[in-house]
Amino acid sequence: MKKMKIEDKLALNIFHVDEENSHIDVDTEYTDEEEIKKLLLACPAECYKYIDGKLTFSHLGCLECGTCRVLSHGKIVKDWNHPIGEVGVTYKQG
Ligand code: SF4
């Protein structure tokens, strides 16, 4: 069996997204760049962006790994929950 690249595996995932309601509450006014960089580097789905000194977040494409919740210690990620009901990611390749 041919070994797949991470990008190819991620592309197989299926997302059922509640576009209106994020399952993660992020303080986008947070300004400590050291803390922000941790999330930028750690999020495998690149949900966090930091452009021109402004932090933005999109829950669309979130892999529900919980890494940002653990790293943030409540500083940037104010609340983290799994999406409700049938919403969220369905993995196809682990
Ligand atoms: S749970 Fe994982 S994939 Fe989702 S935003 Fe946090 S670090 Fe990114």
Side-chain angles (χ1 to χ4, degrees):
M1 182 177 201
K2 185 180 175 191
K3 186 172 181 178
M4 295 177 70
K5 293 188 296 184
I6 289 290
E7 294 81 8
D8 294 334
K9 289 181 179 179
L10 289 173
L12 295 175
N13 293 337
I14 297 171
F15 293 89
H16 299 283
V17 178
D18 181 348
E19 294 188 16
E20 303 297 322
N21 302 299
S22 175
H23 58 288
I24 305 174
D25 182 15
V26 174
D27 179 3
T28 55
E29 301 300 317
Y30 199 83
T31 57
D32 184 336
E33 290 192 8
E34 290 301 313
E35 296 297 324
I36 291 170
K37 283 179 185 171
K38 290 179 187 175
L39 300 188
L40 293 174
L41 291 170
C43 177
E46 298 181 348
C47 293
Y48 296 88
K49 305 275 189 226
Y50 192 60
I51 301 170
D52 295 332
K54 177 69 181 160
L55 175 65
T56 61
F57 172 76
S58 172
H59 67 288
L60 308 177
C62 172
L63 297 168
E64 301 171 36
C65 65
T67 303
C68 58
R69 179 184 64 83
V70 173
L71 284 179
S72 169
H73 299 286
K75 295 175 189 167
I76 301 173
V77 176
K78 305 308 260 180
D79 193 26
W80 195 104
N81 297 284
H82 285 287
I84 297 171
E86 301 293 319
V87 177
V89 63
T90 301
Y91 293 104
K92 292 295 184 183
Q93 286 287 324

